[in-house]
Amino acid sequence: MMSKLRLSIVDVTASERVELESLASRRKTAQALAMRARIVLGCASGRRNKEVAGQLGIDPVTVSKWRRRLLADRLDGLRDEPRSGAPRTVDDARIEAVITQTLESLPSDATHWSSPGMARTSGLSTSTVQRIWLRIPRSSRAAFRCDRAQYSDLKPRTVPM
């Protein structure tokens, strides 16, 4: 005879329920977080893990995991835990400064910024500048590319190697 596991009762406060419903229904919420909110709402309605899993089309083990995390850490338990790996070395202020300088200024000796030029100016590596530039939306990136016809009267510049 198989013993039945006792489910932990999930009680959510009114304010937690409002936040969970908001997370579950908002279009801008990360889909993983929205799914977790739907799982917890299902558990809070008194349903078993298998019922919630069947309704949402997921594994009952997943439901069990998020039920435990909610009971242990409340809503903070639904957020992603920090991933392993090295911490960021470039903070948001430096990233913003590079993007602002790229879009709003020109170098003194050229018609547009190059990765090495911006790296020298900002004190970052060339590869870091390139990764930052990839974060700029394509529509804005076009703004800092020069039109060759606009600068046709300039002499070609030689770059020392």
Side-chain angles (χ1 to χ4, degrees), residues 16 29 32 63 68 84 102 137 142 154:
E16 287 175 331
T29 302
V63 177
R68 280 193 317 272
S84 61
T102 301
L154 295 176

Side-chain angles (χ1 to χ4, degrees), residues 108-128:
S108 60
D109 60 343
T111 59
H112 62 282
W113 284 106
S114 65
S115 305
M118 179 55 73
R120 280 190 301 276
T121 302
S122 64
L124 300 170
S125 70
T126 302
S127 60
T128 300

Side-chain angles (χ1 to χ4, degrees), residues 32-120:
L33 183 58
M35 177 60 77
R36 294 169 198 161
R38 287 191 285 276
I39 290 169
V40 171
L41 286 168
C43 293
S45 68
R47 291 183 290 183
R48 300 175 52 114
N49 290 351
K50 282 187 178 183
E51 294 171 27
V52 174
Q55 178 192 8
L56 297 175
I58 57 175
D59 194 271
V61 175
T62 305
V63 177
S64 176
K65 172 185 178 177
W66 295 111
R67 180 188 293 264
R68 280 193 317 272
R69 292 267 298 265
L70 178 83
L71 292 171
D73 302 319
R74 304 310 301 169
L75 293 183
D76 290 337
L78 301 182
R79 308 277 183 216
D80 284 327
E81 292 178 342
R83 305 279 180 176
S84 61
R88 288 177 48 189
T89 56
V90 181
D91 62 352
D92 291 337
R94 286 187 79 184
I95 291 171
E96 184 179 350
V98 169
I99 292 172
T100 302
Q101 189 168 13
T102 301
L103 297 175
E104 296 179 1
S105 69
L106 290 174
S108 60
D109 60 343
T111 59
H112 62 282
W113 284 106
S114 65
S115 305
M118 179 55 73
R120 280 190 301 276

